[in-house]
Amino acid sequence: MFWAIVAIPVACLAIGIFLIAKKIWIKTGKLLISFAVLALAAIFGFLAAALIAFSSAAADFYIAALAIFLVLSVGLIFYLLWSDKRRRAAIAAVVCGIALCAAATGGVYLYRTYIENIPTLEEGGDLLVRYAPYAENSETAELDEESELKLSSDIPRMDGATALYPIYAAFAKAVYPKELIDDVGEAAAVNEYLMCSTTTGAYRNIVTGDADIIFAAAPSDEQRAYAEENGVELVYTPIGREAFVFFVNGQNPIENITVDEIRGIYGGEITEWEQLGVRGMGEIRAFQRDEGSGSQSALIRLMRDKPLTEPPKADVIAGMGGIISKTADYKNYKNAIGFSFRFYSTEMVENDSIKLLSVDGVYPDIRNIESGAYPLTSEFYAVVRKDGSENVKLLLDWITGEQGRELIERAGYTPIA
């Protein structure tokens, strides 16, 4: 289709050059060349602007530079073609060129704005702010009575998955001195005693000794190997159960998906929604998470030995202003599908932006998680080093006790009975 559109102005350009070269129908030749130059400038200008916009973090600068270049080029060409005898025609042509460049640039800008306004479910969100233990209007779960455990020295450093932050923030608030965690908020990743480095960072920190207890889903094979390579023995204590869920745009009519269909989608065998009986949604845009994250590790376990398809990528600014490509956060396109843990996805479910899917006919609600009826329910863990301090062991005993289980439940998760 693209080359068919380009072929018309190219043919006009060739005919125009031929007519002028042969000095026959010169006026017609100039008109054909004028049309061809304008058309090609519009087509390739829009294409170049679109490519730049979606592949560069400095898109706005490059689009503006491209537009200026096209305007100057079109103006110069028309001035040479029409010379001094046709100034009005030259001016009109340049104005048309400017209008075309502006339309192309504006069209790309509006489309980018539309894409940027599509809701995104990214790791982190505002959980660190909402569940900061002593923030104003904090949503951190609390006990009705004083904690049976209070630590004042040799405080274990906590870290963990973002999706579990509401749990261990509640533990810290119940057990730790206020002054140690009073400043936790958006800077949770750098607080010494209550960090949130995500699953990947937490497993690294427990091995390197930068954390004493972490809260996360089961580790990936690479994370287990990293601990073994460094001679660190980790102890995994299950403290709760959570559902691994799949979700789609709220306007997608699909309600249920099977485990085999999930494997088909993420293995590349099922690529169109119509293969699942959903018409009008086109190609399936299957988002994934960063390698090493808890939810990505859960997907890999679900796939067993089946290789994953290449996930959608996003260009982001790295250190020193460079641009790198990384796995894109879930973008709620109408044809998208994504995954996470149940608690983490509930905020977008509440505003009908996304819809959780039943798996093998079972919906991932609390009742089905508790009973084990939902097929993708898994345990999450408090992970410590075997050589951990006495206070780490005291904290772990308290977490697995009555008050710890109560806080897990009050935070909205399902504790281990």
Side-chain angles (χ1 to χ4, degrees), residues 82-407:
W82 295 97
S83 73
D84 292 341
K85 296 180 181 179
R86 292 290 188 91
R87 288 189 181 277
R88 290 185 180 179
I91 292 172
V94 171
V95 170
C96 289
I98 293 173
L100 286 171
C101 291
T105 304
V108 171
Y109 176 78
L110 290 174
Y111 184 68
R112 287 179 63 237
T113 301
Y114 162 73
I115 294 297
E116 290 170 358
N117 286 333
I118 295 175
T120 298
L121 185 64
E122 57 185 335
E123 194 165 288
D126 64 348
L127 282 183
L128 304 188
V129 177
R130 288 168 50 202
Y131 291 92
Y134 295 103
E136 187 177 356
N137 300 318
S138 172
E139 298 178 32
T140 308
E142 297 184 40
L143 298 167
D144 291 333
E145 68 283 348
E146 279 292 310
S147 170
E148 296 171 356
L149 176 68
K150 290 287 186 180
L151 299 176
S152 57
S153 62
D154 191 20
I155 306 296
R157 295 160 297 173
M158 293 185 183
D159 200 352
T162 310
L164 297 177
Y165 181 72
I167 293 177
Y168 57 94
F171 293 161
K173 186 172 185 178
V175 176
Y176 289 3
K178 179 180 178 181
E179 59 270 18
L180 293 184
I181 55 174
D182 195 16
D183 61 344
V184 173
E186 293 183 5
V190 297
N191 183 278
E192 182 180 359
Y193 297 99
L194 181 56
M195 298 177 280
C196 184
S197 304
T198 75
T199 299
T200 304
Y203 271 110
R204 181 181 61 249
N205 286 341
I206 192 74
V207 172
T208 60
D210 293 318
D212 300 305
I213 182 169
I214 68 171
F215 303 87
S220 65
D221 292 340
E222 290 78 6
Q223 287 160 344
R224 288 185 187 275
Y226 180 67
E228 292 175 3
E229 289 167 3
N230 286 273
V232 175
E233 186 175 351
L234 298 178
V235 179
Y236 303 87
T237 303
I239 61 172
R241 297 176 64 82
E242 179 64 305
F244 182 47
V245 300
F246 288 82
F247 45 79
V248 296
N249 184 286
Q251 297 180 40
N252 192 324
I254 193 170
E255 300 289 342
N256 179 68
I257 195 168
T258 68
V259 171
D260 287 339
E261 287 170 343
I262 293 170
R263 293 192 181 114
I265 290 172
Y266 284 94
E269 298 163 0
I270 300 175
T271 59
E272 301 284 335
W273 281 109
E274 194 161 352
Q275 292 176 258
L276 300 178
V278 179
R279 295 185 177 181
M281 288 289 176
E283 183 180 354
I284 297 175
R285 191 175 296 204
F287 285 87
Q288 297 183 37
R289 294 295 315 151
D290 293 331
E291 187 175 350
S293 69
S295 54
Q296 186 72 8
S297 296
L299 177 66
I300 292 171
R301 287 192 292 272
L302 177 63
M303 297 294 290
R304 296 174 183 170
D305 295 326
K306 196 170 191 175
L308 290 165
T309 58
E310 185 70 17
K313 297 287 187 178
D315 291 329
V316 297
I317 300 176
M320 302 300 290
I323 299 170
I324 62 171
S325 184
K326 61 173 288 185
T327 303
D329 290 314
Y330 175 82
K331 195 82 168 173
N332 201 30
Y333 297 101
K334 287 186 179 180
N335 62 338
I337 184 171
F339 56 83
S340 184
F341 292 104
R342 181 200 59 85
F343 181 89
Y344 193 71
S345 62
T346 52
E347 184 174 330
M348 288 186 77
V349 173
E350 288 175 356
N351 63 22
D352 297 325
S353 180
I354 62 173
K355 174 172 60 177
L356 297 188
L357 297 177
S358 296
V359 175
D360 289 343
V362 182
Y363 189 75
D365 56 23
I366 292 292
R367 178 174 56 85
N368 288 329
I369 295 171
E370 289 176 346
S371 68
Y374 181 71
L376 303 183
T377 299
S378 60
E379 295 175 336
F380 55 86
Y381 301 86
V383 184
V384 301
R385 298 168 61 112
K386 190 173 182 179
D387 58 359
S389 69
E390 186 63 31
N391 275 358
V392 170
K393 295 173 184 175
L394 288 174
L395 178 60
L396 186 59
D397 287 342
W398 177 83
I399 289 171
T400 56
E402 183 179 346
Q403 287 189 325
R405 291 197 303 271
E406 182 180 346
L407 276 180

Side-chain angles (χ1 to χ4, degrees), residues 56-69:
S56 170
D60 290 331
F61 171 80
Y62 288 115
I63 289 175
L66 176 65
I68 293 171
F69 173 78

